[in-house]
Amino acid sequence: MLINVNKLLSPEILSLLRSMGHGDRFVLSDANFPSYSHAAKLYRMDGLTIPEAAAAILTHFPLDSFIPYPVQRMEIDGKPDEINEVHKDLINTVHKVSGPDWKVGSIERQKFYVEAKKAMAVITTSDTRPYGCFMFTKGVLKPDGSVWII
């Protein structure tokens, strides 16, 4: 047993997050994302929504401050600037858990699929809200354990 580990994270997901280095990415996806055909490694967080899964992950995952958007959302087809409910929920979760200064960017849907295949892993949830797919980039920790912010 460990202390202060979010109970929603499986040993496999904890191992993934720990093994990632600076600049490595993973996808947090909704239930409709073609996870099996796009994942180098696939992990499941069944029964959870995107914000629930993101909150659990972000309690242990440093975001990358060396890039403009360490979190990117899948754009809505034909409406790239529209922010839907699941996008709002994820953005609020990032700000609540990681801090208010983190920015969430966007990737066009077809390009998101291409980038997902390059990611280290896909973590899929049971959230069925449309366009609920996000890419996270890992940051750097300082010697004191805090997240490196540039």
Side-chain angles (χ1 to χ4, degrees):
M1 295 297 295
L2 300 172
I3 60 172
N4 299 322
V5 173
N6 191 298
K7 65 184 178 182
L8 298 177
L9 298 175
S10 69
E12 295 81 13
I13 291 174
L14 284 169
S15 178
L16 165 70
L17 299 176
R18 175 62 179 95
S19 66
M20 293 174 72
H22 174 240
D24 283 340
R25 299 178 302 167
F26 75 87
V27 171
L28 182 61
S29 76
D30 62 30
N32 293 301
F33 185 76
S35 299
Y36 284 92
S37 64
H38 284 72
K41 293 180 183 176
L42 179 62
Y43 301 87
R44 302 191 64 88
M45 293 184 83
D46 293 316
L48 299 180
T49 64
I50 289 292
E52 291 168 334
I57 290 166
L58 290 170
T59 61
H60 304 290
F61 189 83
L63 294 173
D64 191 348
S65 66
F66 289 83
I67 59 175
Y69 303 107
V71 181
Q72 293 180 296
R73 64 176 174 80
M74 178 187 281
E75 291 178 359
I76 297 170
D77 288 333
K79 301 175 183 177
D81 297 324
E82 183 175 321
I83 305 292
N84 68 11
E85 178 188 6
V86 70
H87 295 157
K88 289 176 190 172
D89 287 349
L90 183 276
I91 292 166
N92 289 337
T93 300
V94 168
H95 292 163
K96 180 179 177 186
V97 178
S98 298
D101 296 329
W102 294 102
K103 295 184 176 158
V104 176
S106 67
I107 304 175
E108 185 275 328
R109 185 171 65 89
Q110 292 303 320
K111 186 174 180 193
F112 190 97
Y113 292 138
V114 171
E115 293 301 312
K117 287 185 176 185
K118 298 176 191 175
M120 197 165 170
V122 173
I123 301 172
T124 190
T125 69
S126 296
D127 205 321
T128 57
R129 293 177 290 176
Y131 299 95
C133 299
F134 303 87
M135 192 162 306
F136 292 76
T137 304
K138 190 171 187 182
V140 176
L141 292 179
K142 296 190 289 188
D144 68 2
S146 62
V147 178
W148 189 284
I149 306 286
I150 59 167

